[in-house]
Amino acid sequence: MASYLNRSNASSSSSGRQRKRKSIDIQSMNYESLKMTVLGLDKKPCSYDIKLPSGIKPYSVQKLMIMRVLQSYNNRLNSLIESPTGSGKTLSLLASTCAWLAEQKMKRHQSRDECPRHGIKRNYTQTQSTATNSSDISQNGFKQDVSMISDDGEKIPLRTKTLNRSAMEITLLEDFDEDFVDESEFKKPLPPMEEVEDFDEEDLSSFTESMLTGEKSDSTSKVPECTCEPRVVVYYGTRTHKQISQVVKEFARLPYGQDGTLKHTILASREHSCINERIRGIGGDLAAHCRDALNAQKLEQRCPYKDNMRGYDRSGQMRYFMRKSGAADVWDMEDLVNTLSVSRPQICPYFTSNRILAQDADIVFTPFNYILDPVVRRSSEIYVKNSIVIFDEGHNVEDVSREAASFEFRERDLYKAIQHLESKREKNTKTYGWEELRISLEDHNELLVGSNKDERFKMILNAIAGVMGKSKDEAPNILVEETLGHLRPSGFSIVPLEKFLYFMDFYSQKDYKNAESYRCNVNFILASRNDEIPATSMNRNRHYANGRSKGKSSYLSQKVVSDEDEETFQEIRTGYNAAVRLWCMIPSVAFMDAVSDARSVILASGTLCPTDTLTTELGLDFKLSMEGKQIIPNDQIFASVVSRGPSNVNLCAVYKNVSNEDCPFIAELAQVVLRTCQIVPKGVLCFMSSYRILELLYKHFQNNFGIWRELQRVKQVCIEPRRSAELTNQVCIEPRRSAELTNVMDEYEAAVNNPRHYGSECTGALMLAVFRGKVSEGIDFTDDKARCVICVGIPFPNAMDDQVVEKRKYNDIHSRASKILNGNEWYIIQAYRALNQALGRCLRHINDWGALLLVDERFEQKSRIPDQKEFSKISKWVRENLCAYDNFASFEQNLKDFVEKREKKSIPQEEEKEVSVENNTLPPSRKNVRKIHPIFQ
């Protein structure tokens, strides 16, 4: 705490030298230390000092996880890590990763010193030999007029900066890593990341020597071999932006970001970081509007927040500016937006985090799709070669990977793009379909995505990026602007072309072997409600195995685009929007394209099992794996199968049993939910296998006033429909939109925390949701927020869904040749992984307690069969506690006994001793007053 007070006092000083930021003393922050030793590739032991928050004593499962992570990094291996909820998975991942990365940075600095090509001794010797009698050379061999930029932004002579390697100070040779260079260098445009990655070490040595000595390097002289350790960046992926905030909060508890050992940044979408109200107010595609504003010629149409970044194009400058504006050393996206939206000048948070701060970031927090989606990855300049990639909550990485390699083209979007491009070219020309284009290029041996595609494909992508105006932060070229300005397509026009190029790249890889992984689906969507038409006659699946259609040219190839106004647009089917979907059936296409060059890949989750599909379909060899044990005592867990209801009606959530809201299954399910809510206090989560069952259950509650009134009496009413706002507000129904979900969660938590505000007999709230929805994944329902989780049915994917049908067919055909699971095995695993994820919403730490109810007689049937493969796919810690009762009365009595026992033993939990993000990581000026930007309200 004293460190921040010192920094605050230093900031108020008028002297530049006195305002220099002081580092934080780690010892004064009382971090726990955990010593770990693992073997490296050379079989030599490597010791690491793992720093943990004060008062934290790691569980055995945490120690095992830390050991597996260090083994993976040291030996360049990939790992599958499952650790049950509440075991400190995220903190363990971060602590082990940060400790390894800090040690790696120190080794890299040491290797640079000892490198025969770039080492200090070599440069010192050569500099002395060329300027022995020169008075402008200091003892360290540097010219005195060579300057550096300190942490407070001041220009200081290099000779006044002591080279203390133990403190990991900066030398001029490391300016590419730490951005400490001469002030004049800031005026130069930032080179693309590709150039930095491909920068030749020999060129770096020659450039450094010539800059320091003033002499031209002799390119013909023999250059010693470079022994420098490569730079390693950690990409920490999460499923959602909200989960990033939770991870950053854990990162703030560790010393590595607080003392400046490791720098971080966050890759976030414009929806979460844009502060330009004019652009946000346009509506539609925010990214396309942003690109148009960046390329606008008129000043009033440009983005002032992006223009204000001139002069802050280096990460060192930007981080100093952020600290001066009140940002903490460890910040999340909300902190960054709040800081830069009121700074002077106001600066774009999106380009700050995604471009500037990414230059020197050691840890990059990002959603999955920024790593796996090729379009997003390239635009965000993510290069994972020799990097560490972590997928936290990675149980969904298969689905994300398949989506990343799948592309959708809608009729209206294509029409608008073609119409816009038509206006940019000469008249009386013809538009060819993609099949004709590919055949023509192939016949003329000019196919850009053929066997010799690498250089040509890179060339055309760079050319397109230049025409699009994606020249990073370089100053606009006036000649190019005048020459190509009228040819540059708009943002919404370039998106279909960009998606198609990436599709062709995936499609043609491995000499078109990937072509077998694709299916083409043509569908019609209601233009008004965005609902798909269920009629099978309008869903056509075509398999392109040889890169060419088996039929005649498609509608998109034959359609003549009108040069008239868009009002002349005619739909293929009136009232519907046609969509062409190119589905990828195997996740390894996108996954291996993204991470094949990574140093190590960690796939971690609280519910990773069953792992069969992860090891077969991702295409990556996972050498290490672990399945952690549940740390919560068994007497705090009540897990039961509910096969019959109070009326002794068998409960089986299959389609034939769910006909209407008054069918026996729905009526019996309503009684089970009601009686459970009467017994269990505080929050109750109820997950259904489909929206259809959820809606029928809700209608049954409404149509039976007695049941509905009794439910309202004990549980707060919080109904939020999927699309309509006309229903009452007593039971929380999970919405499909994120904005609605925020309101529902606020209502739910308010009822759980203060039930008496909603009725004298109210004990909490009930949340109705579906498997695979937003509520079932990624939201932390700690303590009273989830004292019971009810899982209704087995959440198999929709067997009639076109994509599911094609996926099962694909796996059946390729299961033997590609060594993947067959279609039925894949189908079953998807169900139990979703079930395990929903069960994991309850029991979040070692002092937590709760009940888990599996409402379906099929669970009881499967549990009676020895070595039943399906039943073994339920998480091990659930199976070990699962029991079944002969009748509902026995179940009800045992549940009452469990709740009463836990309530008697429950005492006010002492707050966990931890480094509070709000109290200890924010500077004093931001502790009491924190202005929230509207996009986070």
Side-chain angles (χ1 to χ4, degrees), residues 652-721:
C652 187
V654 294
Y655 186 83
K656 64 179 182 180
N657 293 341
V658 186
S659 56
N660 55 64
E661 63 269 22
D662 294 322
C663 66
F665 171 79
I666 293 296
E668 199 75 351
L669 176 62
Q671 288 293 332
V672 172
V673 173
L674 172 61
R675 297 204 181 189
T676 301
C677 290
Q678 291 173 332
I679 297 172
V680 180
K682 300 299 183 178
V684 176
L685 305 178
C686 183
F687 295 103
M688 260 72 67
S689 54
S690 68
Y691 277 107
R692 180 169 175 266
I693 297 179
L694 186 151
E695 291 170 349
L696 290 177
L697 177 62
Y698 168 65
K699 289 180 180 178
H700 180 84
F701 279 136
Q702 279 197 319
N703 295 340
N704 293 269
F705 181 73
I707 298 177
W708 180 244
R709 182 180 59 183
E710 185 62 23
L711 182 62
Q712 286 182 317
R713 183 180 64 83
V714 295
K715 292 298 176 187
Q716 158 53 10
V717 183
C718 254
I719 293 183
E720 182 69 25

Side-chain angles (χ1 to χ4, degrees), residues 24-95:
I24 299 175
D25 182 10
I26 302 179
Q27 294 181 355
S28 65
M29 302 183 75
N30 297 323
Y31 287 96
E32 302 289 343
S33 181
L34 176 65
K35 303 293 184 180
M36 283 283 184
T37 302
V38 297
L39 295 179
L41 286 173
D42 55 1
K43 303 301 181 182
K44 293 182 180 179
C46 301
S47 298
Y48 296 93
D49 185 12
I50 315 297
K51 298 292 184 181
L52 297 171
S54 178
I56 296 295
K57 294 182 179 180
Y59 308 120
S60 58
V61 65
Q62 287 181 295
K63 294 179 180 179
L64 178 60
M65 185 190 309
I66 291 174
M67 181 67 70
R68 286 288 183 267
V69 171
L70 294 177
Q71 287 176 339
S72 299
Y73 298 161
N74 263 15
N75 298 281
R76 298 174 178 269
L77 300 176
N78 309 310
S79 297
L80 292 174
I81 296 178
E82 182 185 53
S83 181
T85 54
S87 60
K89 168 179 56 66
T90 300
L91 184 63
S92 301
L93 276 174
L94 286 170

Side-chain angles (χ1 to χ4, degrees), residues 82 608-612 821 824-826 828-833 835-836 868-876 879:
E82 182 185 53
L608 204 58
C609 290
T611 61
D612 305 45
L821 302 179
N824 190 56
E825 291 172 334
W826 172 86
I828 292 173
I829 282 180
Q830 303 309 306
Y832 283 93
R833 185 172 293 152
L835 174 67
N836 291 336
Q868 218 286 338
K869 292 184 177 180
E870 261 190 62
F871 187 73
S872 65
K873 291 176 172 50
I874 300 176
S875 294
K876 182 179 179 180
R879 296 198 314 268

Side-chain angles (χ1 to χ4, degrees), residues 612-888:
D612 305 45
T613 57
L614 298 174
T615 56
T616 59
E617 296 208 353
L618 292 180
L620 199 65
D621 187 13
F622 292 96
K623 293 290 188 182
L624 298 177
S625 64
M626 66 160 283
E627 183 178 359
K629 296 182 179 180
Q630 178 61 268
I631 62 171
I632 299 176
N634 292 340
D635 62 351
Q636 296 172 207
I637 303 173
F638 180 91
S640 175
V641 174
V642 181
S643 57
R644 287 175 293 276
S647 303
N648 206 32
V649 175
N650 289 347
L651 295 169
C652 187
V654 294
Y655 186 83
K656 64 179 182 180
N657 293 341
V658 186
S659 56
N660 55 64
E661 63 269 22
D662 294 322
C663 66
F665 171 79
I666 293 296
E668 199 75 351
L669 176 62
Q671 288 293 332
V672 172
V673 173
L674 172 61
R675 297 204 181 189
T676 301
C677 290
Q678 291 173 332
I679 297 172
V680 180
K682 300 299 183 178
V684 176
L685 305 178
C686 183
F687 295 103
M688 260 72 67
S689 54
S690 68
Y691 277 107
R692 180 169 175 266
I693 297 179
L694 186 151
E695 291 170 349
L696 290 177
L697 177 62
Y698 168 65
K699 289 180 180 178
H700 180 84
F701 279 136
Q702 279 197 319
N703 295 340
N704 293 269
F705 181 73
I707 298 177
W708 180 244
R709 182 180 59 183
E710 185 62 23
L711 182 62
Q712 286 182 317
R713 183 180 64 83
V714 295
K715 292 298 176 187
Q716 158 53 10
V717 183
C718 254
I719 293 183
E720 182 69 25
R722 286 179 286 167
R723 295 188 180 90
S724 173
E726 298 177 356
L727 301 178
T728 58
N729 54 354
Q730 272 293 347
V731 177
C732 295
I733 292 185
E734 177 192 7
R736 287 185 176 179
R737 299 176 182 175
S738 298
E740 295 177 357
L741 178 62
T742 301
N743 297 331
V744 172
M745 289 305 303
D746 291 342
E747 190 88 12
Y748 178 82
E749 292 181 10
V752 170
N753 295 330
N754 300 289
R756 291 296 184 266
H757 291 178
Y758 301 90
S760 59
E761 299 181 70
C762 181
T763 63
L766 169 68
M767 171 75 78
L768 298 181
V770 294
F771 294 101
R772 300 185 183 88
K774 295 182 177 66
V775 172
S776 68
E777 301 186 15
I779 298 181
D780 190 11
F781 291 92
T782 308
D783 297 323
D784 288 342
K785 294 179 184 177
R787 288 304 181 194
C788 180
V789 172
I790 305 173
C791 293
V792 180
I794 303 176
F796 291 104
N798 184 358
M800 304 303 294
D801 181 84
D802 287 338
Q803 197 166 5
V804 174
V805 171
E806 293 300 321
K807 172 61 178 173
R808 296 180 70 175
K809 290 180 181 178
Y810 175 88
N811 279 38
D812 286 335
I813 295 173
H814 297 87
S815 58
R816 291 188 177 181
S818 301
K819 296 182 180 180
I820 60 177
L821 302 179
N822 63 43
N824 190 56
E825 291 172 334
W826 172 86
Y827 186 71
I828 292 173
I829 282 180
Q830 303 309 306
Y832 283 93
R833 185 172 293 152
L835 174 67
N836 291 336
Q837 187 64 17
L839 291 171
R841 296 310 91 205
C842 190
L843 305 172
R844 307 297 294 184
H845 58 82
I846 194 170
N847 294 318
D848 205 353
W849 62 270
L852 307 174
L853 309 184
L854 301 180
V855 182
D856 199 299
E857 66 176 358
R858 288 174 290 177
F859 290 114
E860 184 178 6
Q861 296 169 359
K862 297 178 188 302
S863 65
R864 293 175 179 174
I865 303 175
D867 301 325
Q868 218 286 338
K869 292 184 177 180
E870 261 190 62
F871 187 73
S872 65
K873 291 176 172 50
I874 300 176
S875 294
K876 182 179 179 180
W877 66 273
V878 177
R879 296 198 314 268
E880 292 175 346
N881 292 277
L882 198 61
C883 59
Y885 297 95
D886 295 334
N887 52 66
F888 187 82

Side-chain angles (χ1 to χ4, degrees), residues 270 278-279 287-299 301-303 306-307 351 464-472 474 476-477 480-482 484-492 494:
R270 290 174 173 87
R278 181 184 66 82
I279 294 179
H289 298 320
C290 177
R291 296 190 192 101
D292 293 340
L294 297 180
N295 297 324
Q297 301 297 316
K298 296 181 180 180
L299 183 62
Q301 295 179 351
R302 295 185 60 82
C303 177
K306 178 62 171 65
D307 293 339
F351 283 100
I464 290 176
V467 175
M468 289 168 58
K470 287 187 175 181
S471 53
K472 316 293 186 301
E474 297 176 309
N477 187 310
V480 173
E481 291 288 338
E482 293 178 354
L484 298 178
H486 69 286
L487 295 176
R488 177 173 293 136
S490 62
F492 66 82
I494 205 65

Side-chain angles (χ1 to χ4, degrees), residues 123-310:
N123 288 302
Y124 171 80
T125 304
Q126 292 186 358
T127 305
Q128 289 289 1
S129 64
T130 57
T132 305
N133 299 323
S134 177
S135 61
D136 63 343
I137 301 296
S138 69
Q139 291 182 347
N140 290 321
F142 295 109
K143 288 188 176 182
Q144 295 183 14
D145 58 350
V146 177
S147 303
M148 296 174 62
I149 304 300
S150 66
D151 282 356
D152 59 2
E154 295 186 5
K155 182 176 178 181
I156 60 175
L158 187 63
R159 64 187 180 93
T160 64
K161 192 172 184 71
T162 304
L163 296 178
N164 182 3
R165 303 311 299 172
S166 63
M168 292 192 292
E169 293 287 2
I170 312 303
T171 70
L172 191 59
L173 298 176
E174 296 157 1
D175 60 346
F176 283 91
D177 297 340
E178 307 295 345
D179 296 297
F180 286 79
V181 296
D182 189 275
E183 218 170 28
S184 61
E185 292 296 314
F186 291 140
K187 300 179 181 179
K188 298 180 181 180
L190 181 65
M193 287 298 295
E194 296 92 334
E195 298 180 15
V196 177
E197 290 288 336
D198 298 332
F199 199 92
D200 187 75
E201 292 287 353
E202 182 177 345
D203 296 336
L204 176 61
S205 176
S206 302
F207 163 76
T208 307
E209 291 175 13
S210 61
M211 182 177 67
L212 295 177
T213 63
E215 296 182 358
K216 295 183 178 180
S217 61
D218 185 5
S219 59
T220 61
S221 60
K222 186 177 180 180
V223 180
E225 182 182 358
C226 175
T227 60
C228 296
E229 288 279 343
R231 182 171 183 242
V232 179
V233 177
V234 175
Y235 290 94
Y236 196 109
T238 66
R239 186 166 179 261
T240 64
H241 286 88
K242 186 174 183 179
Q243 289 174 342
I244 291 180
S245 297
Q246 298 172 359
V247 174
V248 172
K249 183 178 179 180
E250 294 295 302
F251 179 61
R253 301 173 62 188
L254 302 174
Y256 305 98
Q258 307 289 0
D259 64 0
T261 301
L262 302 178
K263 302 184 181 74
H264 80 290
T265 191
I266 299 173
L267 303 185
S269 65
R270 290 174 173 87
E271 284 74 12
H272 293 83
S273 56
C274 179
I275 60 175
N276 191 321
E277 296 299 334
R278 181 184 66 82
I279 294 179
R280 296 184 71 92
I282 297 176
D285 190 348
L286 185 59
H289 298 320
C290 177
R291 296 190 192 101
D292 293 340
L294 297 180
N295 297 324
Q297 301 297 316
K298 296 181 180 180
L299 183 62
E300 61 272 14
Q301 295 179 351
R302 295 185 60 82
C303 177
Y305 308 104
K306 178 62 171 65
D307 293 339
N308 289 342
M309 295 183 66
R310 295 171 183 172

